[in-house]
Structures are given as C-alpha cells and as structure tokens.
Amino acid sequence: MGTGYVGLVTGACLAYLGHRVTCVDRDEERLKGLRSGRMPFYEPGLEDLVARGVGRGRLDFARVEGVAGLVDEADAIFVSVDTPQGEDGSADLSSVAAVARQIGRALAELRTGRGSPLVVVNKSTVPVGSGDYVSMLIRDGIEEAIGEGAGGEGAAGFLVVSNPEFLREGSAVYDSFFPDRIVAGADSREALDVLRTLYEPVIEQSFPTELDPRPKVAVPFITTDLASAEMIKYASNAFLATKISFINEIANICELVGADVSEVATAIGLDARIGSRFLNAGIGWGGSCFPKDIAALRAAAREYDYEAILLDAVAAVNVRQRKQVIAKLQRDLHTLKGKRIALLGLSFKPNTDDLRDAPSLEIASVLDSLGARAVGYDPVAGKAAAQKLPSLKVVFDPYEALGGAHAAVLITEWEEIRTLDLNRASALMDEPKVLVDGRNALDPEAAVEAGLSYRGFGRG
Ligand SMILES: NC(=O)c1ccc[n+]([C@@H]2O[C@H](COP(=O)([O-])OP(=O)(O)OC[C@H]3O[C@@H](n4cnc5c(N)ncnc54)[C@H](O)[C@@H]3O)[C@@H](O)[C@H]2O)c1
C-alpha cells in the first residue's frame, strides 16, 4: 500500500524475485499512469523493472478501495505510505492510520476465511510504538466494519512486523536488491518467518541478476523486537545526518583557521573507525527523510521530557549551512537586489527528482525576498520546482541559467553539473562571476583559472 519511492520500488523488486504483487494507492492519477507504463517519479532502472513485472503477469495496480478483495489471498501487506513531518515536528501518521483501518475493514469483510494470519509489514518510517498503534487501528477497523454489519467469515487474525527501509533515492532499485542488511522486528516468530521467506532470494543473493556481477555475499537478516526495529531506522538516519553536520562544523572552523576541509575529510575518513562516506562539507542535508526523521526523533525525546542536545545541534548546524550560501553571496555581491543568481541543481540530491525539503527551494525563496532573480536548472526536477516556487525562473539548459548571472550556486552535484565547462560558464556570466560551490564538488583551481571567484565550504 502506497506506490511512492518505497512502495513502488519494493513492489517491483518483489515481483522480480518471483512474488505476485499488487501495488495499491489512493491516487487515481498515479495508478492510471502506472497502468500505462508512466512512472510517478524519476528513479533509475524502475521503469524497466515495473514493465518486466507487469509483462510477466506478476505486478498489477489497484485502488485502495479494492483492498478487501486482495486480503483474501495476500500473505503480506506492506504499508509504505508517507509519514511527513507534523506541525510540532513529530511524524504525521494519518496515512498509516488510514491504511491500518482499511486493512481492518478488509479483514472483517473476508469472504473465504484465511488459513493463516495476514502479516502486516510496516515499511513506512514510524516512531517507536507505531507497531502497537497499527495493531490497535486494525482492530478498530475490524470492529467498525462488524458494527456496520460486515458479514465475512471473520478475520483469521493478523500479525504486525516492522521492516524499516534503508533504500536511497537515486539508487533505490539497486539498494533493494543489494541492501547492507534487512531488519525485521516483531513479537511473533511466525511473522518473522513469513518475512524471511519473502526476502529469501535477497538474503541468499540467489536471484538471477545482471545488475551487479560482483561475487554474492549473503545479506544479514536482523530479527529483533518491534520497538528496536523502529528505532534502528531513526538511529541510522540520525547518525548519517550527524556525520554531515559534524564535517560541516569542522568545515566552518577550517574556514576560520585556514585549513582545507577536503584534505581533512579524506585523511580522517581513512581511519576505519570513522569511514570516508558522508564526510562532504557543504550546504548540508535535506530531502524526504533526514529532516523529518531527525525532527520526529527529537519530538519523541521531548515526549519523555528528554533533551536530545546532540540531535538539536545536528539540526541547528544544518540550518546554519543553508544560510551560509546567502552570506557568501552577500559578502561578494553586497546587496542582492537586482542581481541574477544561477542555481545549478534543484533536487535535494543527484539522480532523483525529489524536491521535498530541497535546499534549492529555500535558497531561491530567500533570494526572491532579497530582491534577486534566481534562475534554476535541473536535469529532471525543473518543471516540478517551477510549480512549487513560481518566483523561481526555471530553464532547461545549465548555460542558459548562467547567461548574465552575477553569481552561480552549485546546489546539487549531478554529474553534468560537476563536469560543467567552467570556461564557457565564465564567458557567459557577468562580473563579479562568483561561484558558490555548495557541495565542494568542483576543482577550485580550475574555477579560478576560468576567471571565476570560487567560494567553497571550508576550503581554506
Ligand atoms: N523516500 C525514501 O527515500 C525513503 C527511504 C526509506 C524510508 N522511507 C519511508 O517510507 C515511507 C514512504 O516514503 P515515500 O518516499 O515512498 O513516500 P511517497 O510520498 O513517495 O509515497 C507515498 C504513497 O502513499 C500513498 N498513500 C498515502 N495514503 C494512502 C492511503 N491511505 N492508501 C493508499 N495509498 C496511500 C500516496 O498516494 C503515495 O503514492 C515514509 O515513511 C518514508 O519516511 C522513505
């Protein structure tokens, strides 16, 4: 249930592995598109995988109202709906709640009677305790339907498992086939066994695939209790966000003392205890998961009157990084009124069209409020960005964005932006030709040689 980045990818992958999958959503337009082979978002490799599943008769699509008919036969239902940030920072569970009630009603309306309990797999990122909350709502749904006279054979019961998702947008298909681990949390051995069977080909890496020719290594299948599984997801994202905010803090100090954070990050990353990934200084994290998950974890801590001072600081550092883009522009251009600023890359990271909590949108709206004209370019997210932020002028060629720009900001390090022709960029721009490299993705020397005023993050 839910055909977003997680639900659709998971469904298509499970179909590829030989399971029979129905992807369910409440969004009729989305389903219509999927039935005619149109993907609702950009994700490398997904269109082929979906077409393959549909072609083999293993993958189809249904409206949420059709769930009653599916529960008769399904071994498991994956809940993969959105859990956005609520007003107080906590996770908004309304989509999860709606789906849980729907499952309850479907169980009450069962015609055939099931031999075994339905396994409800919670894949959405949800706060600790949500497994029990989902169970309660499923029971509510059953009671509501029975109260309204649903006359099925009666539910054979259900079991809830937490199975947090770790895929990364941009490599979601790959990550689903080759995850670092699969986590399953439940109170019942039976439910964990169903999940293990479903994932068997991934755990054993026994499926035929052209995706990755490297020798196969079995994937750890971690079984635990519900609460720990739910916490594993938050702790993973919190740690990754902490790593980025940490290196950004170091970058800011590097800038003051005249050190180069790129050199520092490379060297500290070689320490196996630290590891080299997620140590790129720049404008910080954004996207569909980190901001809301960190906020939800902080909100959960507040519920217990616990002050999560480290997580609070991780978030505060991130807010400050975005502001630095504007400060760097102001330092060189002074007033931003009437200035044209090219924004290179708009999606929250490369290889996705996702604009949820993308730094580009915040930076563009601050520039607008300061009287500057922001002109954005992105290989796939341009149109959606223009819809979200009408004040942002969007063009479909990076050099068009740079034409007449007094400054450019590299926001998303798409390959084609990392490899821009800097001489051409410089020739097109207007003085003082400032280039703020928000991801430290470009070669500062090459930029200076091209006649640009290069401003990185923490690069001395
Ligand atoms: N996007 C990621 O990279 C990622 C990675 C790991 C975990 N997650 C988590 O997975 C969950 C889903 O994320 P996503 O990015 O796929 O979300 P999404 O917004 O892309 O997709 C959610 C889908 O659920 C559908 N939906 C909502 N309510 C519904 C209902 N009542 N019945 C049927 N369908 C319904 C929506 O129409 C939409 O298609 C979230 O909890 C997220 O935190 C996301």
Side-chain angles (χ1 to χ4, degrees):
M1 297 182 81
T3 59
Y5 291 86
V6 169
L8 185 58
V9 171
T10 302
C13 290
L14 288 172
Y16 180 89
L17 297 174
H19 299 301
R20 175 75 189 80
V21 181
T22 299
C23 283
V24 178
D25 209 286
R26 64 174 175 190
D27 181 340
E28 189 54 47
E29 276 304 300
R30 187 168 275 230
L31 294 171
K32 223 161 81 189
L34 282 166
R35 288 196 192 99
S36 55
R38 224 175 31 253
M39 296 303 104
F41 47 83
Y42 174 80
E43 186 58 49
L46 183 61
E47 194 171 335
D48 274 2
L49 202 67
V50 168
R52 203 190 277 236
V54 171
R56 288 180 178 169
R58 291 193 198 139
L59 182 63
D60 62 3
F61 306 97
R63 290 170 57 120
V64 70
E65 293 76 12
V67 154
L70 299 167
V71 161
D72 278 20
E73 290 180 4
D75 294 300
I77 291 194
F78 282 73
V79 177
S80 323
V81 294
D82 45 305
T83 51
Q85 187 173 327
E87 270 175 22
D88 61 351
S90 64
D92 174 350
L93 295 181
S94 53
S95 294
V96 171
V99 161
R101 283 210 180 82
Q102 196 93 29
I103 293 171
R105 297 184 68 87
L107 278 169
E109 288 162 13
L110 265 183
R111 296 279 155 207
T112 54
R114 299 174 50 94
S116 55
L118 177 70
V119 176
V120 178
V121 185
N122 217 346
K123 226 179 198 335
S124 295
T125 303
V126 287
V128 173
S130 298
D132 294 335
Y133 180 61
V134 163
S135 294
M136 181 183 83
L137 294 173
I138 293 176
R139 279 195 296 274
D140 285 355
I142 293 174
E143 280 165 22
E144 264 165 38
I146 289 174
E148 289 166 17
E153 287 281 307
F158 65 90
L159 301 167
V160 175
V161 193
S162 166
N163 172 219
E165 180 54 61
F166 302 98
L167 63 75
R168 297 161 299 174
E169 286 174 23
S171 55
V173 170
Y174 183 90
D175 292 346
S176 298
F177 285 118
F178 307 104
D180 291 335
R181 76 301 207 191
I182 295 172
V183 174
D187 303 332
S188 126
R189 188 74 247 164
E190 191 182 350
L192 295 174
D193 287 346
V194 169
L195 210 63
R196 197 184 198 293
T197 309
L198 272 170
Y199 282 123
E200 187 84 22
V202 176
I203 295 167
E204 305 295 342
Q205 290 287 294
S206 58
F207 56 93
T209 178
E210 335 61 76
L211 286 168
D212 191 345
R214 283 176 297 186
K216 310 257 179 270
V217 181
V219 173
F221 182 69
I222 312 289
T223 57
T224 180
D225 58 279
L226 267 170
S228 301
E230 290 163 343
M231 185 50 109
I232 286 167
K233 174 64 193 174
Y234 282 106
S236 298
N237 276 355
F239 184 77
L240 294 172
T242 302
K243 240 183 141 179
I244 298 173
S245 283
F246 168 79
I247 201 66
N248 280 332
E249 184 96 291
I250 295 296
N252 295 338
I253 301 173
C254 279
E255 212 159 289
L256 294 170
V257 301
D260 184 340
V261 75
S262 308
E263 306 281 319
V264 174
T266 305
I268 66 172
L270 288 171
D271 185 327
R273 294 168 301 176
I274 296 174
S276 60
R277 298 176 66 190
F278 278 72
L279 285 180
N280 292 332
I283 56 182
W285 37 274
S288 57
C289 291
F290 284 9
K292 78 170 176 64
D293 292 351
I294 309 312
L297 191 51
R298 292 167 67 208
R302 282 198 299 273
E303 268 180 35
Y304 297 85
D305 210 15
Y306 178 79
E307 212 185 330
I309 46 176
L310 177 61
L311 297 178
D312 292 348
V314 165
V317 167
N318 203 52
V319 168
R320 200 169 55 184
Q321 291 308 111
R322 286 190 191 184
K323 287 191 180 150
Q324 280 200 43
V325 170
I326 304 295
K328 282 178 195 285
L329 290 171
Q330 285 172 327
R331 213 169 297 145
D332 282 303
L333 302 177
H334 306 293
T335 176
L336 297 182
K337 276 193 185 48
K339 298 290 182 347
R340 182 178 162 115
I341 317 286
L343 302 183
L344 303 175
L346 302 171
S347 57
F348 86 89
K349 68 173 183 178
N351 298 322
T352 181
D353 58 355
D354 202 336
L355 285 161
R356 287 178 280 186
D357 215 329
S360 63
L361 297 181
E362 190 182 334
I363 290 167
S365 67
V366 175
L367 287 173
D368 182 52
S369 71
L370 294 173
R373 162 57 46 82
V375 184
Y377 164 76
D378 190 278
V380 298
K383 252 194 207 151
Q387 274 164 9
K388 275 189 185 292
L389 197 65
S391 65
L392 175 65
K393 181 176 155 67
V394 170
V395 295
F396 296 92
D397 178 283
Y399 297 101
E400 194 182 335
L402 289 159
H406 302 94
V409 184
L410 187 155
I411 294 188
T412 317
E413 67 279 34
W414 286 89
E415 186 57 26
E416 67 173 273
I417 293 175
R418 300 175 80 102
T419 54
L420 269 187
D421 179 342
L422 295 176
N423 289 313
R424 189 174 163 200
S426 176
L428 288 166
M429 287 174 71
D430 264 6
E431 293 295 340
K433 302 187 184 186
V434 176
L435 174 60
V436 177
D437 183 357
R439 303 292 176 185
N440 283 355
L442 300 171
D443 176 2
E445 278 176 29
V448 171
E449 266 170 34
L452 297 162
S453 300
Y454 178 88
R455 308 287 177 247
F457 280 72
R459 299 184 105 173

